[in-house]
Amino acid sequence: MNNFNRFKLKMGREMGLVVSLALMILIFTAIDPIYLSPGNLLDIVDQSTINGLLAIGITFVIITGGIDLSIGSIMAIVIVSVGLLLTKYGVNPYLAILLGVIIGALIGALNGLLVTKIRLQPFIATLATMSAFRGVAYIITKGWPVLDIPPDFRRIMDGDLVGNFPISIPILLGFAVVGHVLLKKTRFGTFVFSIGGNEEATRLSGINVNFNKVVTYALCGVGGALAGMVMLARLGTGEPTAGQGYELYAIAAAAIGGTSLAGGKGSILGTLLGALLLSALRTGLVVVGVDTFWQYIATGAIIAVAAYFEAFQGKFGGIRKKLFAKKGSAAL
């Protein structure tokens, strides 16, 4: 198989997402030309930042064959914790951000320990912590929102970098680059894919499966923490109810981006494109005046189509690999 054919096999899903995104933009622009305005396109990217951060974090876990239903609740804990550090204790904004990331990583690691040490199924473990962590967020604030978030923190996490260009976009891209490097350029990334492909074989080869799994859940927690702090800065208030249902959109973005829920397959670029696609869809439906309730149906339909496409691509990809292998052997 030559390099070009390998590239096509690797990038097929991402290219399909780019084409789908372009077609969606063209369709909504034909209905209402305002959709293509620079301000609206920038808003689409900006609106994808929170879900994108969550989705990138959860991609690590899904590739190992796991799931994290508690990421929205992790987000809420970080929101109220950082909010109180800023307003009640007067902590420096940069230190508060660092502490927020650490809190998210530690909570995520706790999920990983439940899965690896207590040996709970990821779905059950994170379903339990989804409820427990939400309760912690309520206990921390006694059910009240955290108000009067300092302007300095808001500028750092969701201010304008240049002109009207929001700083949350570079935050998303920075996390995406780090995630891509970890998955594609490090031994840790190789281990993550190996665990998702065949966990028992990976364990027998001498790789510390439990440790690497805990790290993926910690990274998922970091994604939740970053998303939470962007939301805290954007809204200027910290609600213990924040992030409810966000885990579903994060999983959807990863699945649309080609991350297999069975594990062993996925990419940060695909997840990023999946988040952009969902944001473009929601924004487009708003622009053309579609009722909010229909947006949920449209999102569900896209997830179903993506799942079907994933199954079809898996079968078709296997056939293509065999054909390319035959061609390569014939050329030799």
Side-chain angles (χ1 to χ4, degrees):
M1 192 188 300
N2 60 38
N3 291 334
F4 179 69
N5 287 332
R6 286 195 185 94
F7 177 78
K8 287 197 296 183
L9 285 173
K10 286 183 179 180
M11 299 300 293
R13 184 56 176 261
E14 285 81 359
M15 291 303 297
L17 286 168
V18 171
V19 172
S20 300
L21 186 60
L23 287 173
M24 185 180 294
I25 291 173
L26 288 174
I27 291 170
F28 282 125
T29 301
I31 298 172
D32 191 338
I34 198 174
Y35 186 83
L36 198 58
S37 66
N40 189 64
L41 292 177
L42 186 62
D43 186 58
I44 289 172
V45 180
D46 188 32
Q47 292 301 316
S48 71
T49 53
I50 292 175
N51 189 39
L53 290 166
L54 293 172
I56 290 169
I58 210 168
T59 296
F60 286 96
V61 172
I62 295 177
I63 290 175
T64 66
I67 199 72
D68 188 349
L69 300 178
S70 71
I71 192 168
S73 298
I74 294 175
M75 185 178 168
I77 290 180
V78 173
I79 284 175
V80 297
S81 298
V82 172
L84 287 174
L85 287 172
L86 291 165
T87 58
K88 188 174 180 180
Y89 300 103
V91 174
N92 178 276
Y94 290 103
L95 178 57
I97 292 168
L98 176 61
L99 291 173
V101 170
I102 292 172
I103 291 169
L106 290 175
I107 298 174
L110 176 59
N111 279 332
L113 291 173
L114 290 175
V115 171
T116 58
K117 296 301 182 182
I118 302 182
R119 300 192 179 280
L120 295 178
Q121 288 295 322
F123 182 89
I124 299 299
T126 58
L127 181 64
T129 56
M130 178 177 69
S131 177
F133 294 161
R134 181 68 58 183
V136 171
Y138 277 109
I139 290 171
I140 290 172
T141 63
K142 296 181 173 58
W144 293 94
V146 182
L147 305 174
D148 301 322
I149 301 302
D152 287 345
F153 175 83
R154 301 188 67 181
R155 280 193 294 269
I156 293 168
M157 293 302 296
D158 197 48
D160 292 331
L161 188 63
V162 178
N164 293 322
F165 190 82
I167 199 170
S168 57
I169 295 176
I171 292 173
L172 171 64
L173 294 178
F175 190 46
V177 169
V178 171
H180 175 78
V181 170
L182 285 174
L183 277 181
K184 300 295 185 179
K185 305 295 182 181
T186 67
R187 293 178 64 193
F188 165 73
T190 303
F191 296 160
V192 168
F193 282 105
S194 179
I195 291 167
N198 191 325
E199 182 175 330
E200 189 57 30
T202 305
R203 194 186 307 276
L204 292 174
S205 67
I207 295 169
N208 191 334
V209 170
N210 289 349
F211 172 78
N212 286 286
K213 274 190 171 184
V214 171
V215 173
T216 62
Y217 280 94
L219 287 169
C220 186
V222 170
L226 291 172
M229 288 186 286
V230 169
M231 176 178 279
L232 178 64
R234 186 168 295 176
L235 300 179
T237 180
E239 298 276 355
T241 58
Q244 287 183 331
Y246 278 48
E247 62 279 349
L248 301 180
Y249 286 105
I251 295 168
I256 291 170
T259 301
S260 173
L261 296 179
K265 181 182 176 184
S267 73
I268 298 300
L269 176 59
T271 295
L272 196 60
L273 290 170
L276 279 172
L277 194 68
L278 285 175
S279 179
L281 173 66
R282 289 198 296 266
T283 302
L285 293 175
V286 170
V287 168
V288 300
V290 175
D291 190 273
T292 305
F293 302 122
W294 287 98
Q295 295 179 29
Y296 293 104
I297 296 175
T299 302
I302 283 189
I303 296 169
V305 170
Y308 174 78
F309 184 77
E310 175 67 30
F312 175 79
Q313 189 184 42
K315 293 179 182 178
F316 186 64
I319 295 172
R320 284 197 302 173
K321 285 181 180 179
K322 290 179 181 178
L323 289 174
F324 287 141
K326 287 180 180 178
K327 288 181 181 179
S329 60
L332 293 174

